[in-house]
Every structure is written in C-alpha cells, then in structure tokens.
Amino acid sequence: MARYTAKRLLQLIAVLFGVTFLTFMITQMAPSDAAEMKYVSMGMMPSPQLLEQTRQEMGLNDPILVQYGRWLLHALRGDLGVSSKFSEPVLTQMMKKLPSTLELAGFSMVIVMAVSFPLGILSAVKKNRAADILIRFFSFFGISMPNFWMGLLLMYVFAVRLKWFRVVSSNDFRGIVLPAAALSISMIGNYTRQIRTAFLEELSQTYVTGARARGIPEPVILLCHVLPNAVFPVVTLIGLSVGQLLGGAAIIETIFSWQGIGNMVVEAIRVRDYPLIQGYVIWMAVIYVMVNLLVDLFYQFFDPKIRMSRQKKS
C-alpha cells in the first residue's frame, strides 16, 4: 500500500509540474503582459519608456524558461504573484474566496446525497414500475437542463415572482438555497441514474438470491449487503463532483453574485488578471490530482478485487 501510494504521488507531482508549465506558457502568449496590466488596473496609461522600464524590473525581458524557473521557485514557497485586479497576493485573494466556495460546495453535496440515494434505490427496487419511470423522467430532465438555465429559472420563479429568496445571494440560508439547488439538480439526475444502475447490477447477483432464500428481510439486504457493494461505482463520480464544486461553479456563482472562487476567476478573465488566472488553474489541478489520489486509495483499501489484482501484478 505504501509503495503504491508513493508511486501515485510521484506520478501526480509530474502532472502538476506539467500543468504549471503549460499554464505559464499559455499566459505568456497572451496579447498583454503583466507590466501593462499593472498600470491598466490602476487606471493609468503608461508611456512606452515606463512600460519598458517596468518590464525590466519585473524580469519580463528574460528568456521564458528563466521566467518560469523563477516563478516556480516562488510558487513552491507559496508565492503565486500579485493580482493586478485586487493589488494583493494571489494566494491571499483565493483564501478569501475559498470559504464561500466550500460552503456552497458542501451544501450542494448534502442535497445531492440526501436526494439521489433514496431516489436511486427506489428506482432500482421498483424497476419498470410507475415510480421508476417517473424518477427516470425527472433524472433525464435534470441532466438535460444546463445549470445556468436552471439558475435563471429558479431565480425568476422563487426570487422575482414569489419573492421567497433574494436575487443577489448572501452568506445565509436564504442566500445559499437557490445557487445550491441550481448546482444540485443536474447532479441529482446523474447520481440517481448511476445509483440505480449499480443497485440493479448488485440485485442480480447470487448473494442477493441466497440472502432472500435464507429469509433475510429486504431492507436489511438492501442496506447491509447491496449498498456497500453498490457504492463503489459512485465514489468516482463523487470525486469528480467534489473537484468541480471546489473549483468553483463559475457560471452559477456569477449568476447569483456568490462571492466564491468561480466568480473571482470570471472577473479575473474579464480584466485579464493573468497571475490570478494562473493561480486558479493551479488550484484546479491540485484539487483534481488530490481527489483522484484519494479515490484510487479508497478503491485500493476497500475493494478486495482491486487489491488482489495489484498484489498479483507486483
């Protein structure tokens, strides 16, 4: 287990270095540079002489590999540069926005888990009956609707027409409900389908037939025997969803003016704040790398089939 974890960590570190290198190169290809954006964010129009002097002071005239090496050394110490939009360190600005994103992501995942698991199990148990058909219909409906359209629809109905919630979200319960619902609806449809498929596959196994033959109650079979085995295919989906939510749901956060990381990066793109954009890309890469590692370790630790197959290979 320790050897496998170390191997995966080395692979993921290489992926992170690759992401940082590509991100740095792409930002260097942008039409404007950090020196120009520094003065534009201050409302100034620098002269060519001042711009060239600033470029020299910031090291922008050095070869690109030298610039990347210098940036990487600073990044390894936690210095991702200074945001031209907010005039403060990128890491500081991201840490200010992170609590709001964590709050929205956590609330959304609670809704998804609380709704999709009962619906998925019920759909599998009532296969091809009225309840199953109805649940599948709403699942397909939720998956088919873009979350930005769902967000606008929820805002119009519940904030504009019914006035139950605010149009502009705030950091309280009434402010988080609509953006969390807009994020959750499509995820609930996807999770419900996956859980239904996993339960149907497990219900066809011989151990379920044996348990029924021994007279074990159906709820005990579903919760104590089928659920632990059916949850494995859903773990990967959970990992991807957590990565997406922690990265900030940019469109939903922008629609509801939710002050999270996603809203921050949309504003950074609008004003071409390259240090902040680059910091966001690295943040996303770290999230997905760590989530993938945790999912792999989960399978390695809890799934005996995968553990035995890897032991045979080694």
Side-chain angles (χ1 to χ4, degrees):
M1 187 69 178
R3 184 171 58 186
Y4 172 76
T5 304
K7 180 180 177 181
R8 292 289 291 132
L9 280 174
L10 291 176
Q11 293 174 349
L12 297 178
I13 290 172
V15 170
L16 282 177
F17 275 110
V19 169
T20 60
F21 181 78
L22 289 176
T23 305
F24 188 85
M25 295 303 164
I26 291 172
T27 55
Q28 294 301 309
M29 294 168 58
S32 57
D33 57 30
E36 180 182 357
M37 296 310 302
K38 175 181 178 181
Y39 291 106
V40 170
S41 63
M42 298 167 59
M44 299 173 56
M45 294 297 295
S47 64
Q49 295 78 11
L50 180 59
L51 197 59
E52 181 61 29
Q53 179 183 350
T54 306
R55 287 179 58 84
Q56 189 68 32
E57 293 173 354
M58 298 176 67
L60 299 178
N61 292 328
D62 295 335
I64 193 167
L65 291 180
V66 175
Q67 295 183 48
Y68 172 72
R70 182 167 54 237
W71 176 87
L72 184 60
L73 289 176
H74 286 288
L76 291 175
R77 295 198 297 264
D79 181 10
L80 298 177
V82 177
S83 167
S84 59
K85 164 67 177 177
F86 300 99
S87 300
E88 64 179 5
V90 169
L91 194 59
T92 301
Q93 181 62 26
M94 293 181 67
M95 289 300 102
K96 286 182 179 179
K97 304 294 185 180
L98 183 59
S100 296
T101 295
L102 290 175
E103 183 181 1
L104 181 59
F107 195 74
S108 300
M109 285 304 300
V110 168
I111 294 175
V112 171
M113 295 295 103
V115 176
S116 59
F117 266 93
L119 289 181
I121 296 173
L122 179 62
S123 181
V125 173
K126 304 293 184 180
K127 181 182 177 182
N128 295 331
R129 299 180 187 175
D132 179 33
I133 295 172
L134 191 62
I135 291 172
R136 283 191 291 165
F137 170 78
F138 282 108
S139 297
F140 282 115
F141 176 80
I143 295 171
S144 303
M145 294 300 104
N147 57 8
F148 71 88
W149 181 87
M150 188 62 67
L152 293 173
L153 181 63
L154 292 174
M155 180 185 293
Y156 175 75
V157 174
F158 294 102
V160 177
R161 303 295 297 180
L162 298 178
K163 302 185 184 304
W164 291 355
F165 303 98
R166 301 183 182 94
V167 174
V168 178
S169 297
S170 57
N171 291 327
D172 56 14
F173 180 76
R174 291 185 64 191
I176 199 175
V177 169
L178 288 185
L183 285 173
S184 302
I185 288 174
S186 61
M187 294 172 60
I188 288 172
N190 197 11
Y191 274 72
T192 301
R193 290 182 60 199
Q194 294 292 333
I195 293 168
R196 177 184 184 274
T197 302
F199 261 78
L200 286 176
E201 183 177 348
E202 292 299 323
L203 287 172
S204 64
Q205 300 297 320
T206 55
Y207 74 87
V208 176
T209 305
R212 287 170 174 165
R214 292 194 299 272
I216 298 177
E218 193 71 15
V220 176
I221 295 175
L222 291 174
L223 297 179
C224 299
H225 298 274
V226 177
L227 180 60
N229 293 309
V231 77
F232 284 104
V234 186
V235 171
T236 303
L237 191 60
I238 293 175
L240 294 175
S241 299
V242 170
Q244 176 186 357
L245 292 172
L246 289 181
I251 297 177
I252 295 299
E253 289 187 3
T254 303
I255 290 174
F256 290 96
S257 299
W258 185 264
Q259 297 303 312
I261 287 181
N263 194 3
M264 176 200 70
V265 76
V266 170
E267 181 64 19
I269 293 171
R270 188 182 67 83
V271 299
R272 294 183 293 179
D273 188 346
Y274 299 129
L276 193 55
I277 295 171
Q278 191 165 348
Y280 172 79
V281 173
I282 295 169
W283 164 252
M284 287 292 295
V286 170
I287 288 175
Y288 277 100
V289 161
M290 295 308 299
V291 166
N292 280 321
L293 176 62
L294 292 175
V295 170
D296 287 346
L297 293 179
F298 176 87
Y299 280 114
Q300 175 77 8
F301 189 79
F302 289 102
D303 194 337
K305 294 180 182 178
I306 295 178
R307 187 166 59 248
M308 292 176 63
S309 65
R310 284 178 177 158
Q311 287 175 354
K312 291 178 180 179
K313 290 180 181 179
S314 61

